[in-house]
Amino acid sequence: MTRRRAERHDLGRAGSPATPTTVHADQLGALAELKAEGKIRHIGLSEVTVEQLKQAQSITEIAGVQNLYNLVTRQPQAVLDYATAENIAFIPWFPMAMGKLAQPGSPVADLAAELDATPAQVALAWLLHISPVVLPIPGTTSLDHLTENLQAAKLSLTDDEVARLNALA
């Protein structure tokens, strides 16, 4: 915290996207102690299953889960469903991974053209549409790209458009 010149971190997280979380009571207990001391505000997990999330919840309150999730990678759907039911933030990492789905003539590119948007905006709009607890964090290195990504929040997808995107998995 000294390096960040902060008195408190907003989120203390167990695990990282690169290393799936094994829920350890002592690790979560330590995070809970830091929270009680006011050094962290919330506790989150990365790359967990529903069972691991439930186990962690039996130890301490969990504010968010960060799992790989996007138009083509939906293995953690059960985690998203559980997070939605429990009102736990779900932070999909690599939210715009589409590969061939974003190339000209692809389903996402075609829909993006219909909506006067980019494929990335469509992918982000879909994530924002599927659950109120989804908080995508697309990486960017430029202000222009950030501005473009923010426009995804203004896209309103119809049920038919969402169904078209859902069919891609």
Side-chain angles (χ1 to χ4, degrees):
M1 284 192 275
T2 305
R3 192 172 65 192
R4 292 186 182 192
R5 297 184 185 150
E7 304 240 346
R8 176 181 71 186
H9 288 286
D10 284 331
L11 182 67
R13 187 170 37 107
S16 73
T19 57
T21 300
T22 301
V23 177
H24 295 286
D26 57 342
Q27 184 182 29
L28 286 171
L31 287 170
E33 285 178 28
L34 290 171
K35 182 178 175 185
E37 293 169 9
K39 293 183 179 176
I40 60 174
R41 187 171 176 200
H42 300 288
I43 298 172
L45 302 171
S46 289
E47 288 303 310
V48 292
T49 64
V50 171
E51 294 73 27
Q52 290 169 321
L53 178 51
K54 286 179 179 180
Q55 179 186 0
Q57 285 181 295
S58 73
I59 298 167
T60 189
E61 181 182 2
I62 302 300
V65 174
Q66 183 179 17
N67 278 22
L68 174 63
Y69 189 88
N70 52 53
L71 278 169
V72 296
T73 305
R74 300 194 208 156
Q75 289 84 347
Q77 183 65 50
V79 177
L80 172 56
D81 294 342
Y82 183 79
T84 301
E86 294 289 313
N87 201 31
I88 296 170
F90 184 88
I91 305 156
W93 64 272
F94 206 35
M96 298 183 298
M98 296 174 288
K100 293 180 182 179
L101 291 177
Q103 293 177 356
S106 70
V108 178
D110 289 347
L111 181 56
E114 292 171 30
L115 296 171
D116 194 28
T118 66
Q121 289 170 330
V122 169
L124 289 170
W126 173 79
L127 283 167
L128 292 169
H129 181 89
I130 59 172
S131 170
V133 301
V134 169
L135 302 168
I137 336 175
T140 184
T141 57
S142 74
L143 187 55
D144 288 342
H145 193 210
L146 175 63
T147 301
E148 179 182 298
N149 288 340
L150 289 172
Q151 295 306 308
K154 294 180 181 178
L155 279 181
S156 181
L157 300 175
T158 66
D159 291 341
D160 178 60
E161 291 162 344
V162 170
R164 287 167 59 188
L165 294 168
N166 285 343
L168 298 175

